[in-house]
Amino acid sequence: MGPGRAQEHVNPRVIATWDGREAVWQPEPETGPGALIRALNAPALAAGLPSRSVEGKRGYVWHCSVRVAAGDRVLSDGEWAEIARELLDGSGVAVRGDAGGPRWAAVRHADDHIHIAVVLVRQDDCRRFWPSWDYPRLRATANRIEKRLGLTITAAADGTAAKAPGRGETEKALRQGREPARVELARAVRKAAVASRGVDEFVGALEAAGYVVALRRAPSGDPLGFTVGRRGEVTAAGEQVLYSGSKLAPDLSLPRLMATWRQGSGGREVRAPVDVARIRVDRARGAVRGARRGTGSEEPGEIAHAALDVLTAVSGWSPTLAAAAQEFDRAARSPRGHHVGDYVSGAGLRRVARQLLRQRRTARVSGDPDAASVALAVAVAALLREIALWQREVGRPHQARAADAAATQVGRWVGTWSLKQRDESHQPGLFDHADVGRRPRVGAPAR
């Protein structure tokens, strides 16, 4: 009920409670919300639970922050109260009409958000309980509310989102004048994974880049997982700060990485990886189009994930392409439960992405890209557009927007090259950068 860590709480007030008497539970000017807190905790105290958290033990308060998007309208207290009740009911945490259910309260801190707190102890028998699958059910309920009230539609809980840096990580990064460790490490791990063919190469690539890596192995010696951290970044106790791959992004766990390495194994090294990459990207685009028309046999989701490998491989060519890879990251991940399959286009993209990274020094694209490099970028932009169309058709609008935004970034890099060529030659551009389907002429690649 206070001002908040960043003074973001304005006129905090109770808008809904378990007993419908929110007017009674408003904080007193002198005593604050003490009466409400005591009432909320009464079942827990009756159950013999501690009034304060105990280190190392799971607490019994369920907390949920609910916020509307910046462009959404201001909701009334009544609307927010109904949202709180609907979310609690839909998630199964506090079902409507359950008189013996848990006690809860919803507090509005500002025009754009509320907080809901639930004491996970039933009133009728003082039994402590844990909600089951509350987060996915909460997201589904939120989507229904957003559609009904005309609010910004948020993404479904499909397991594709990378975990965002917490407040502590963000504040630490600001003090240090660098980006959050989680963001940097995810990028470094993905790049090392794309360049590698197995665990040993992967660990070596990260260590060569200056990161601390630790493998977790089974008694048999088989690798099970890994953790990675920035060298020299330690806790207050002097311990190295480490993140597991799965905590950086759902597709960066070691089992997922090993599956992609198996898929991309084999094949021979090529002399002109940029030219070969363009051919494989074009084929992948055709495979996605075929799947959209119902005539293909490949999995567009797998191609999307492999396309991120190609974007990662070329991200070192310019900050614009690096931004495109970052933008496409969410669009490339498949929903929870998807497993990497053995598809020709995906495997081909992974192999050529690895070769692009390994042969970057000979590709002559670090400062002044050649026509072959730009032709590859044009093909990549077209593939991303095709993936965006597929994402929309399968009901994933947020991923589709991310794919379109990445394609726009790649097209911007292509357009910069086109304008430069036009200025240098005083001739019409090789192609209109607004049309990513046309490309400069390049020599026939070696196959």
Side-chain angles (χ1 to χ4, degrees), residues 164-364:
R167 182 189 292 267
E169 294 175 76
T170 302
E171 292 176 350
K172 182 178 181 179
L174 288 173
R175 291 194 302 270
Q176 295 176 337
R178 59 197 303 191
E179 66 182 339
R182 188 184 300 275
V183 177
E184 177 187 332
L185 291 171
R187 185 171 58 248
V189 167
R190 191 174 302 282
K191 185 175 180 180
V194 172
S196 305
R197 289 173 291 193
V199 174
D200 292 339
E201 286 187 1
F202 170 67
V203 172
L206 283 172
E207 290 178 339
Y211 297 102
V212 177
V213 189
L215 279 178
R216 182 168 58 89
R217 295 184 180 273
S220 62
D222 295 333
L224 297 176
F226 75 95
T227 53
V228 61
R230 293 196 289 209
R231 192 174 300 279
E233 188 159 272
V234 297
T235 65
E239 297 178 349
Q240 173 69 48
V241 177
L242 295 169
Y243 297 81
S244 66
S246 61
K247 296 300 183 183
L248 297 177
D251 59 334
L252 293 182
S253 68
L254 191 58
R256 292 289 297 271
L257 293 180
M258 292 174 70
T260 61
W261 291 328
R262 285 192 297 270
Q263 186 200 40
S265 63
R268 60 184 179 86
E269 296 290 322
V270 295
R271 294 184 177 180
V274 174
D275 292 329
V276 173
R278 175 178 56 82
I279 293 174
R280 292 181 181 172
V281 167
D282 280 338
R283 289 175 180 169
R285 180 190 178 195
V288 176
R289 186 187 299 115
R292 291 180 54 227
R293 296 173 178 174
T295 60
S297 59
E298 301 215 39
E299 168 56 47
E302 181 56 35
I303 293 174
H305 193 267
L308 179 58
D309 284 11
V310 176
L311 264 178
T312 300
V314 303
S315 62
W317 296 3
S318 88
T320 303
L321 293 179
Q326 189 77 15
E327 193 75 51
F328 188 65
D329 181 68
R330 175 75 183 274
R333 285 194 287 272
S334 297
R336 186 185 292 107
H338 172 82
H339 299 287
V340 177
D342 187 16
Y343 297 99
V344 174
S345 294
L349 291 178
R350 295 190 196 283
R351 283 195 293 269
V352 79
R354 183 176 66 240
Q355 293 173 21
L356 282 170
L357 271 178
R358 286 170 172 261
Q359 300 185 28
R360 179 183 171 191
R361 292 183 178 179
T362 62
R364 297 186 295 107

Side-chain angles (χ1 to χ4, degrees), residues 11 41 74 84 97 130 162 203 214 223 232 242 262 360 370-371 384 426 440 446:
N11 186 26
N41 283 334
V74 176
W130 307 114
V203 172
L242 295 169
R262 285 192 297 270
R360 179 183 171 191
D370 57 13
L384 301 187
H426 302 288

Side-chain angles (χ1 to χ4, degrees), residues 63-215:
H63 175 253
C64 176
S65 299
V66 190
R67 185 183 299 271
V68 295
D72 288 337
R73 64 184 177 87
V74 176
L75 303 178
S76 67
D77 283 358
E79 287 175 311
W80 273 120
E82 180 57 27
I83 288 173
R85 295 187 182 98
E86 190 168 347
L87 289 174
L88 290 172
D89 180 66
S91 64
V93 175
V95 179
R96 290 181 190 266
D98 184 5
R103 295 187 174 186
W104 58 271
V107 178
R108 184 173 188 175
H109 292 115
D111 285 344
D112 63 348
H113 75 280
I114 64 171
H115 289 270
I116 307 172
V118 184
V119 176
L120 299 175
V121 179
R122 291 189 58 83
Q123 299 178 71
D124 48 10
D125 57 10
C126 295
R127 177 175 54 85
R128 186 176 180 178
F129 70 96
W130 307 114
S132 178
W133 294 97
D134 51 316
Y135 180 71
R137 295 165 67 182
L138 193 69
R139 292 298 307 119
T141 305
N143 284 148
R144 292 195 297 269
I145 294 171
E146 290 158 356
K147 292 174 183 177
R148 188 181 74 244
L149 298 181
L151 304 174
T152 299
I153 305 298
T154 53
D158 57 6
T160 61
K163 186 175 181 179
R167 182 189 292 267
E169 294 175 76
T170 302
E171 292 176 350
K172 182 178 181 179
L174 288 173
R175 291 194 302 270
Q176 295 176 337
R178 59 197 303 191
E179 66 182 339
R182 188 184 300 275
V183 177
E184 177 187 332
L185 291 171
R187 185 171 58 248
V189 167
R190 191 174 302 282
K191 185 175 180 180
V194 172
S196 305
R197 289 173 291 193
V199 174
D200 292 339
E201 286 187 1
F202 170 67
V203 172
L206 283 172
E207 290 178 339
Y211 297 102
V212 177
V213 189
L215 279 178

Side-chain angles (χ1 to χ4, degrees), residues 14-72:
V14 179
I15 59 166
T17 58
W18 77 97
D19 59 358
R21 299 193 304 156
E22 45 271 10
V24 174
W25 299 117
Q26 296 299 326
E28 296 293 336
E30 296 181 357
T31 60
L36 173 61
I37 294 174
R38 287 190 295 273
L40 287 170
N41 283 334
L45 294 177
L49 297 175
S51 59
R52 297 183 180 274
S53 61
V54 178
E55 186 176 354
K57 291 190 176 181
R58 189 176 181 184
Y60 53 82
V61 177
W62 185 91
H63 175 253
C64 176
S65 299
V66 190
R67 185 183 299 271
V68 295
D72 288 337

Side-chain angles (χ1 to χ4, degrees), residues 422-445:
R422 186 181 308 174
D423 291 342
E424 290 179 351
S425 62
H426 302 288
Q427 297 291 331
L430 293 176
F431 59 91
D432 181 357
H433 67 273
D435 180 5
V436 297
R438 299 168 60 191
R439 62 171 59 87
R441 295 182 179 276
V442 296

